[in-house]
């Protein structure tokens, strides 16, 4: 594996679509499923099960990506991307790196050359019938 690479910001994208994920009432699980739907809408694929309810494992092209899902209470619906970025501290990055490496070690085949950890926040506002998703790519990458 290579050494840790610096975060390279990508341009913000604002997209709207009709979500098809059913809301079950299990807020954390619903947020994870809504995050999965949002990520697949922008090109992520090959989702794998993880032992953690708030962690998704998928691919963006050939790159393995591990994604932490932060379920934000409805009161935080006005949260911005900058607010999410401010929550990503050294502990979150270290946890993400450990999740990426752990996933690589238990996967079949050779170790990938690159790994990436992303953070997604999901906030469901049932009163407004809306979901807000923010995505920080590359909170950690190798």
């Amino acid at each position: 594996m290579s050494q840790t690479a610096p975060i390279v910001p990508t341009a913000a994208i604002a997209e709207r679509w009709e979500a098809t994920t059913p809301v079950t009432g299990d807020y954390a699980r619903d947020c994870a499923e809504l995050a999965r739907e949002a990520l697949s809408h922008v090109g992520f694929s090959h989702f794998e099960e993880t032992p953690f309810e708030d962690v998704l494992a998928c691919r963006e092209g050939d790159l393995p990506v591990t994604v932490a899902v932060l379920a934000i209470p409805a009161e935080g619906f006005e949260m911005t991307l900058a607010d999410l970025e401010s929550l990503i501290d050294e502990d979150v990055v270290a946890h993400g790196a450990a999740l990426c490496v752990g996933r690589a070690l238990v996967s079949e085949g050779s170790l990938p050359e690159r790994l990436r950890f992303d953070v997604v926040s999901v906030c469901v506002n049932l009163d407004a019938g809306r979901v807000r998703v923010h995505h920080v790519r590359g909170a950690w990458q190798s």
Side-chain angles (χ1 to χ4, degrees):
M1 290 213 186
S2 62
Q3 51 189 311
T4 301
I7 295 173
V8 178
T10 58
I13 300 171
E15 292 192 35
R16 293 179 187 228
W17 70 93
E18 294 292 322
T20 58
T21 299
V23 175
T24 66
D26 180 343
Y27 194 73
R29 185 174 303 279
D30 290 345
C31 287
E33 288 303 315
L34 287 161
R36 180 190 307 254
E37 180 178 345
L39 290 169
S40 59
H41 185 75
V42 295
F44 287 70
S45 61
H46 297 57
F47 287 88
E48 304 167 15
E49 294 301 316
T50 71
F52 309 104
E53 185 175 79
D54 60 346
V55 176
L56 302 175
C58 55
R59 292 188 168 274
E60 185 175 31
D62 290 337
L63 178 65
V65 181
T66 303
V67 182
V69 179
L70 302 178
I72 306 299
E75 299 79 35
F77 195 74
E78 297 304 318
M79 180 179 188
T80 66
L81 180 59
D83 294 331
L84 174 59
E85 289 172 333
S86 73
L87 296 175
I88 303 171
D89 60 14
E90 291 178 5
D91 291 339
V92 171
V93 172
H95 182 71
L99 288 169
C100 288
V101 171
R103 176 182 173 205
L105 291 173
V106 299
S107 64
E108 295 178 16
S110 61
L111 292 174
E113 289 184 31
R114 295 181 53 227
L115 303 169
R116 193 174 82 208
F117 173 66
D118 292 1
V119 179
V120 170
S121 68
V122 178
C123 183
V124 179
N125 184 332
L126 293 175
D127 294 335
R130 295 182 65 195
V131 175
R132 179 160 287 150
V133 178
H134 292 296
H135 180 192
V136 176
R137 282 183 158 94
W140 177 86
Q141 50 194 335
S142 69

